[in-house]
Amino acid sequence: MNIIGTTNLAKVKFDTSNALGIKNAKTKGNCRPHEITTIPWDDMYNEKCIGKDGKEFEVVSYYKIKEEVLNKDYVDVFSSKAQGKDVKCYDYYVKNFIAETTKNFSDCSSLKDDTKSLKKGINNLILEMKNNTSKGISNNMENLKTKFNVNGVDFTLKELMDSSKIMDYAKSIMPTIRSGLSYEDYAELGIVKGKINTYGEKNLNKDQQKLLNLNISARVKKIIDSVPERIDEKFIKNIVKDLDNKFYGIKNVQAATNIEYAKKIMNTFENVDYSNIKSFEKATKSYGKLIIPVLKAAGIVNMAIRNDLAETIEYEISKLKPLADVSYEKIISSADEVRRKFGNPRNIIDVRR
């Protein structure tokens, strides 16, 4: 099948008869896993997402079609289209743009309408670009005024793409659930929510801020609600309690068991102005006090000739600092811009493409 930029994806039918290609296969016997060489549509992403309603939905995007890597900047793609140029795999770039947007701002109830609205926005953007070109106006993102509506909220192209990068960054630093969430994990979740809130206050209007905050809050809640219940009979005897009879952990298990206390730690970092280093430093001081009973429950104490507790508190705080220190400028810039300005830091996230 020859798939080109103008192919109507809705009408494409795929042949799955050769779903698995087996290297040098001469018999129909059982094959070992390492002999499987080809799986069709391995060049696409099926991503499960969480909307502000807390429900899951799925979006599909592509990074390669028929050996064509889809790595062009969206502004360049739409600008080329506005100039009447033949853009390879244009339909897939449109689909990727919609997927990148809806995965961060849509939910189950809005996804269908958002897809239509974003397609309309792209068409309006191309018309604006044509008009700008005829007037000698540059089509950089700062000049583009077209509005894109998603989940009932309007964004310019720059607002939409920058906000999407911030959301992707926030998701990338969210802790993963293993046997449970530690108290440090709750601190990280607080940083995630706080950074989204600070970005919105400094760069977006009230409706845009609300959408970002609701979406990230729903994802944080989903993570917390997914933690397996550990307080059953086999763990009761291993619960560690302090003098106030509040439990802070389970022996040999690194998981927060006092959920209300863990949420207090999360709220400490959520209510921080991340554009102000002093605000973050104030939160770390509070955190240092909050984790004392947690660390003591784990058997870490200050002794006459050693400061194990103080040193551990400082170490715990130091692990959180990199998450708060990553600048928004690095996150919302393209990879080339970041390399030019900052070198090649590990925390570059280039999701504009």
Side-chain angles (χ1 to χ4, degrees):
M1 180 183 295
N2 182 24
I3 298 179
I4 60 176
T6 56
T7 298
N8 185 338
L9 301 180
K11 296 182 179 180
V12 171
K13 294 182 179 180
F14 302 107
D15 178 11
T16 60
S17 60
N18 294 308
L20 298 179
I22 310 301
K23 183 178 181 180
N24 299 324
K26 295 182 179 180
T27 68
K28 295 184 179 180
N30 293 331
C31 299
R32 289 169 291 181
H34 72 270
E35 294 178 318
I36 298 174
T37 57
T38 305
I39 300 177
W41 298 106
D42 193 32
D43 296 335
M44 62 189 280
Y45 296 109
N46 289 76
E47 187 169 351
K48 291 189 180 297
C49 312
I50 303 294
K52 68 180 190 298
D53 57 3
K55 296 179 180 179
E56 282 192 351
F57 63 95
E58 188 174 273
V59 300
V60 178
S61 58
Y62 305 81
Y63 67 90
K64 187 190 293 183
I65 295 295
K66 295 296 183 181
E67 304 306 317
E68 182 75 22
V69 179
L70 304 180
N71 61 355
K72 293 186 176 71
D73 189 282
Y74 288 128
V75 175
D76 292 340
V77 169
F78 299 145
S79 180
S80 295
K81 192 70 174 178
Q83 296 171 44
K85 296 179 181 178
D86 181 24
V87 181
K88 286 185 179 180
C89 303
Y90 176 74
D91 287 349
Y92 288 94
Y93 277 106
V94 170
K95 189 171 182 65
N96 281 358
F97 178 84
I98 292 172
E100 288 288 343
T101 302
T102 54
K103 75 177 184 180
N104 285 320
F105 306 117
S106 295
D107 50 45
C108 289
S109 61
S110 74
L111 184 60
K112 185 176 180 180
D113 288 339
D114 290 343
T115 299
K116 292 179 181 178
S117 176
L118 290 167
K119 285 181 179 178
K120 181 180 178 181
I122 291 171
N123 291 334
N124 291 339
L125 177 70
I126 290 172
L127 290 176
E128 181 189 0
M129 287 179 159
K130 286 181 179 179
N131 189 44
N132 285 346
T133 300
S134 68
K135 296 179 179 179
I137 300 173
S138 173
N139 281 320
N140 58 52
M141 286 208 294
E142 287 72 14
N143 292 338
L144 297 170
K145 308 300 182 186
T146 297
K147 298 291 185 180
F148 291 83
N149 188 276
V150 57
N151 219 327
V153 179
D154 284 339
F155 293 83
T156 64
L157 182 65
K158 179 171 173 53
E159 290 169 341
L160 188 65
M161 295 177 72
D162 287 353
S163 296
S164 188
K165 286 192 173 189
I166 295 297
M167 292 292 285
D168 278 338
Y169 167 70
K171 288 187 292 181
S172 77
I173 65 174
M174 281 186 174
T176 56
I177 299 173
R178 297 171 293 275
S179 59
L181 293 175
S182 67
Y183 291 96
E184 180 187 344
D185 289 333
Y186 277 89
E188 291 179 4
L189 289 173
I191 291 175
V192 167
K193 295 178 73 175
K195 286 185 73 70
I196 290 292
N197 186 57
T198 297
Y199 177 80
E201 287 182 347
K202 304 297 181 184
N203 298 277
L204 304 173
N205 64 38
K206 294 295 184 182
D207 290 336
Q208 294 165 341
Q209 290 176 46
K210 183 178 179 180
L211 180 59
L212 267 66
N213 287 335
L214 286 174
N215 276 15
I216 206 66
S217 294
R219 293 173 197 197
V220 168
K221 185 176 185 301
K222 183 75 172 180
I223 288 176
I224 294 174
D225 291 346
S226 298
V227 174
E229 179 61 57
R230 303 304 300 267
I231 310 303
D232 54 27
E233 288 300 321
K234 67 180 180 180
F235 285 112
I236 291 295
K237 63 181 180 180
N238 289 323
I239 291 177
V240 179
K241 299 181 179 180
D242 71 340
L243 295 176
D244 296 325
N245 206 36
K246 294 180 179 179
F247 51 90
Y248 291 96
I250 299 173
K251 290 179 181 178
N252 303 318
V253 178
Q254 291 186 344
T257 54
N258 189 333
I259 304 304
E260 290 307 311
Y261 199 77
K263 288 181 178 179
K264 185 176 181 179
I265 288 175
M266 181 175 71
N267 293 339
T268 297
F269 285 100
E270 178 181 353
N271 299 315
V272 167
D273 177 1
Y274 284 90
S275 66
N276 184 344
I277 189 61
K278 290 184 178 180
S279 180
F280 176 70
E281 289 174 348
K282 182 179 179 181
T284 60
K285 289 180 181 179
S286 297
Y287 176 62
K289 295 177 181 178
L290 287 169
I291 61 170
I292 288 176
V294 175
L295 297 176
K296 284 185 175 180
I300 301 173
V301 296
N302 278 340
M303 302 178 69
I305 58 175
R306 292 168 58 185
N307 292 317
D308 289 355
L309 182 60
E311 289 176 3
T312 304
I313 290 172
E314 186 59 35
Y315 173 69
E316 292 294 319
I317 290 173
S318 71
K319 289 193 293 183
L320 298 176
K321 286 182 178 179
L323 300 181
D325 289 345
V326 176
S327 73
Y328 293 124
E329 187 176 3
K330 290 181 184 179
I331 298 166
I332 65 178
S333 298
S334 69
D336 288 339
E337 290 172 329
V338 173
R339 279 189 285 269
R340 233 177 13 249
K341 295 178 182 178
F342 307 105
N344 192 26
R346 288 180 296 174
N347 283 321
I348 294 174
I349 295 180
D350 179 26
V351 294
R352 181 177 296 173
R353 294 173 172 82

